[in-house]
Structures are given as structure tokens and as C-alpha cells.
Amino acid sequence: MKIFASQLRAARALLDVDQEVVSGWADLDRRELSGWEHAKYKLRSSDAEKLQKTFEKRNVEFLSAAEGKGAGVRWREPGREDRHRGAQFRAARAMANLSMRDLEDLSGVNRNFIWRLERGKVGPLNVEFIGKLEASFRKKNIDLVPEDGRSGAGVRWIVDEETPRSSS
């Protein structure tokens, strides 16, 4: 399976860990991981397999492009507690390679709200802000995949492309 840089970023964001943690789990160099996440280096198949197994051990599944949809990541099992979908929004932002400032500019939603949402520190949920964030991700060709009876929530590219436009 081919793994895109955007998938590595999104998988790490679902788990809310930094590159140092993932490189330790997978016994890989952090600088190489950074290079792969920014599409500066080509990911060797042996390293891709190692990373895939590392994430799968932590309940994250890589999705191949299929049925007209692009590649992505999701929780392998349903039932993950994420009341306001903060981990999913964090993964979508990582997949699109957007900073909080970039997402604020794109959506018109204050960075402070985005930070609190991604960290699960939101009190009453502002439905208007959620709608603006969802629309912003659609503009970037990111689909917020809902949880179903077989698997958890995740993110994927809306269209099947050989190399997603926002992967670098």
C-alpha cells in the first residue's frame, strides 16, 4: 500500500503525538519521519510497512483510495470517545497541512476555538463554527469520515488522486 505524506500527518494527529514519539515507536529517525511527512523524501516500502504496523497497533487504520474516494486514515474500531470530534478535526487539519492560523483565515473561525475544539476543551458547541470548519475542509478536498458500525471516524481525500494536491 502506498502511504502519502498527508496520511502520516493525519495518523499522528489522530493520536495527538509528535514526530519524536512516532519515530521512537517505529524505531526510525525523527528527521526522516519529518522529511516523509513533508514529502521531501520518498518513503521506502519497508519503512512504510513499519509505520503502518506502528499506527495499527495504536488502533489507526490507513485507507487506500477506493470507489472514487482518496486515501485517508481512521480509527480501526468504532466507539472512540470524541464528543465534539476534536481528534477528527485535528487530523483533517493535519491532512490538509494547515496551521491553526491557516484554518482561521480559511474558515473565519477563531484560532482559540479551533485549539479548544481539537483538545476537547469546548463547552457549549458552536454549530455555526463547526459548519464553517467542515466547509473549509471540503474546499481543501478533505472528507470527514463518520463512524459507522464497523470502524471509527477519520478523514480522507474526497477525490481519488495519484498524489493529493495538499500533501506537501
Side-chain angles (χ1 to χ4, degrees):
M1 169 183 183
K2 183 173 184 174
I3 296 177
F4 293 104
S6 60
Q7 287 175 284
L8 289 175
R9 292 190 307 265
R12 195 167 53 74
L14 269 181
L15 292 169
D16 196 19
V17 295
D18 62 27
Q19 291 174 343
E20 195 70 41
V21 171
V22 173
S23 62
W25 288 340
D27 194 28
L28 294 167
D29 184 83
R30 192 213 48 86
R31 291 171 297 197
E32 283 186 300
L33 180 60
S34 177
W36 295 325
E37 283 191 8
H38 292 92
K40 291 179 182 175
Y41 310 121
K42 185 175 180 177
L43 183 61
R44 295 183 302 268
S45 60
S46 61
D47 292 330
E49 186 176 321
K50 192 183 271 192
L51 283 165
Q52 185 174 354
K53 286 179 181 178
T54 295
F55 284 110
E56 286 176 352
K57 283 181 186 175
R58 286 149 184 92
N59 202 30
V60 174
E61 176 180 21
F62 285 82
L63 304 172
S64 297
E67 299 173 11
K69 295 283 189 174
V73 297
R74 69 177 174 206
W75 294 112
R76 292 177 78 184
E77 299 169 358
R80 186 106 180 157
E81 188 168 332
D82 189 11
R83 192 168 134 218
H84 298 305
R85 300 174 25 217
Q88 187 179 31
F89 281 102
R90 187 173 54 243
R93 188 169 60 80
M95 182 163 254
N97 203 21
L98 297 171
S99 68
M100 282 191 194
R101 182 180 300 269
D102 293 337
L103 186 53
E104 177 182 47
D105 292 345
L106 183 64
S107 68
V109 174
N110 183 283
R111 251 181 313 189
N112 186 40
F113 177 83
I114 296 167
W115 183 89
R116 287 180 308 151
L117 175 68
E118 290 184 3
R119 298 289 165 245
K121 299 186 183 296
V122 174
L125 195 61
N126 186 320
V127 178
E128 180 185 349
F129 286 178
I130 295 298
K132 287 180 176 183
L133 292 171
E134 289 172 338
S136 296
F137 289 125
R138 278 191 300 277
K139 285 180 196 172
K140 291 291 189 178
N141 287 320
I142 303 288
D143 186 21
L144 297 165
V145 179
E147 180 176 300
D148 61 26
R150 298 180 326 267
S151 58
V155 295
R156 74 182 316 154
W157 293 104
I158 288 174
V159 292
D160 179 6
E161 299 178 358
E162 180 58 33
T163 305
R165 285 189 297 264
S166 299
S167 70
S168 58

